[in-house]
Amino acid sequence: MSYDFQVVIDSGDPHPLADWWADALGWQVEAQDEAVIKELIEKGHAREDDTTTHNGALVWRAGAAIRHPDGLERAPRVLFQLVPEPKSGKNRQHLDIRVGAGNIEAEVARLTAKGAKELHRGRQGPNWWVTLADPEGNEFCVS
């Protein structure tokens, strides 16, 4: 049996982090429908404090998602979910951005210029990668 899935990343501030990752990957932030949000509040299914404003738009405070421009058939959705606690250790899972050996240095330079931090470099046989952290400290590799 096959299942669809999404990747969920805990975040202290999901909307800016979703923007960062969408820019980093060339993906799109999923739009949130202000009219639907307002309707749910009016009907008592949600509260105003369940929302926030991001880039001038009313959005759900709890999270923001990104997706590949070719849709969910191409790659799973990534959801950035609000959590109250700060990151406190190494990720047990992480994303690998595979760009090809000839493009690793340029991609690392591009991402660090956008706010990523280089953590370390690794090698296994002929394969090598650079581990970075996004602006909230979540590790990922460029390989």
Side-chain angles (χ1 to χ4, degrees):
M1 179 177 280
S2 160
Y3 295 95
D4 287 333
F5 69 93
Q6 70 180 356
V7 175
V8 180
I9 298 174
D10 290 349
S11 173
D13 200 358
H15 295 279
L17 194 58
D19 291 344
W20 189 89
W21 274 99
D23 181 54
L25 297 174
W27 287 23
Q28 300 164 341
V29 175
E30 287 184 356
Q32 295 189 26
D33 190 330
E34 285 190 60
V36 169
I37 294 171
K38 289 176 182 177
E39 180 181 348
L40 290 171
I41 291 169
E42 288 171 13
K43 291 182 176 181
H45 300 297
R47 299 181 320 264
E48 285 194 29
D49 65 351
D50 293 332
T51 68
T52 189
T53 302
H54 180 68
N55 293 336
L58 183 69
V59 295
W60 294 114
R61 178 180 305 284
I66 64 171
R67 63 175 58 199
H68 191 282
D70 292 339
L72 298 176
E73 299 78 27
R74 175 69 170 82
R77 177 182 196 247
V78 179
L79 174 67
F80 298 89
Q81 170 181 274
L82 179 65
V83 295
E85 70 280 351
K87 184 177 180 302
S88 64
K90 186 177 182 312
N91 297 4
R92 295 286 295 193
Q93 297 178 335
H94 66 269
L95 301 179
D96 282 349
I97 301 174
R98 298 181 301 172
V99 298
N103 300 315
I104 294 173
E105 293 294 356
E107 191 64 11
V108 167
R110 185 181 76 83
L111 293 170
T112 55
K114 293 182 175 298
K117 178 182 175 188
E118 184 172 331
L119 300 177
H120 58 83
R121 291 170 179 253
R123 178 176 294 281
Q124 186 174 20
N127 301 310
W128 67 284
W129 61 92
V130 179
T131 303
L132 303 174
D134 72 17
E136 286 198 9
N138 300 299
E139 296 94 358
F140 66 98
C141 292
V142 177
S143 63

